[in-house]
Amino acid sequence: MEKLRAAFVPLRSHREKCGGVAGRARRTSTHLTRQYALGEAEREAMIKEQRGMCVICLAADPVHVDHDHETGKVRGVLCFSCNAALGQFKDRPDVLRRAAEYPEGNVWKPTLEASGVYQLPS
């Protein structure tokens, strides 16, 4: 039992070591600056310009800075789900358009032109 107690590190000491909430804010600010050349004030201004909501779903709190992976340009601040969805679709507009049509029943339906030859939808 004494071995277990010696190995146990109280959560409080971990929080103190990592800086707690203030430490997290400091790490977030450093990440924004290093990754996107964006300060916390600029991020907050973007969120305010977006009326405090994710610009895709218009419902959730925007917390993740979204950027173009090729150019590195910041596009906006999105909620976790919308930012993850863009990443899953590899930021490809053609794939996103098909994904948007899919739940509406407009699925990919190629037209048979000749035996084994299909015309893809435009």
Side-chain angles (χ1 to χ4, degrees), residues 45-55 62 75-78:
M46 290 175 78
I47 292 171
K48 185 176 180 181
E49 188 177 299
Q50 296 174 193
R51 297 184 179 165
M53 65 182 102
C54 173
V55 294
R75 295 183 284 213
V77 186
L78 304 176

Side-chain angles (χ1 to χ4, degrees), residues 52-122:
M53 65 182 102
C54 173
V55 294
I56 294 177
C57 68
L58 303 177
D61 291 334
V63 292
H64 293 275
V65 174
D66 174 54
H67 68 287
D68 184 308
H69 286 253
E70 289 186 18
T71 66
K73 182 181 176 194
V74 173
R75 295 183 284 213
V77 186
L78 304 176
C79 70
F80 172 81
S81 295
C82 291
N83 190 49
L86 281 180
Q88 291 298 313
F89 288 119
K90 308 289 189 240
D91 292 340
R92 290 184 46 199
D94 59 322
V95 175
L96 287 163
R97 279 190 283 277
R98 283 194 301 275
E101 291 178 2
Y102 180 79
E104 296 171 348
N106 302 323
V107 294
W108 182 69
K109 295 178 185 171
T111 307
L112 181 63
E113 295 289 323
S115 180
V117 179
Y118 291 89
Q119 173 69 39
L120 298 176
S122 53

Side-chain angles (χ1 to χ4, degrees), residues 9-56:
V9 178
L11 184 59
R12 182 173 173 207
S13 67
H14 174 72
R15 284 185 183 153
E16 289 169 359
K17 181 177 138 187
C18 294
V21 174
R24 180 181 175 142
R26 186 173 51 255
R27 289 188 304 277
T28 300
S29 180
T30 303
H31 170 73
L32 289 173
T33 303
R34 187 178 56 240
Q35 186 76 24
Y36 308 113
L38 185 72
E40 187 65 33
E42 293 167 301
R43 179 179 167 273
E44 291 301 320
M46 290 175 78
I47 292 171
K48 185 176 180 181
E49 188 177 299
Q50 296 174 193
R51 297 184 179 165
M53 65 182 102
C54 173
V55 294
I56 294 177

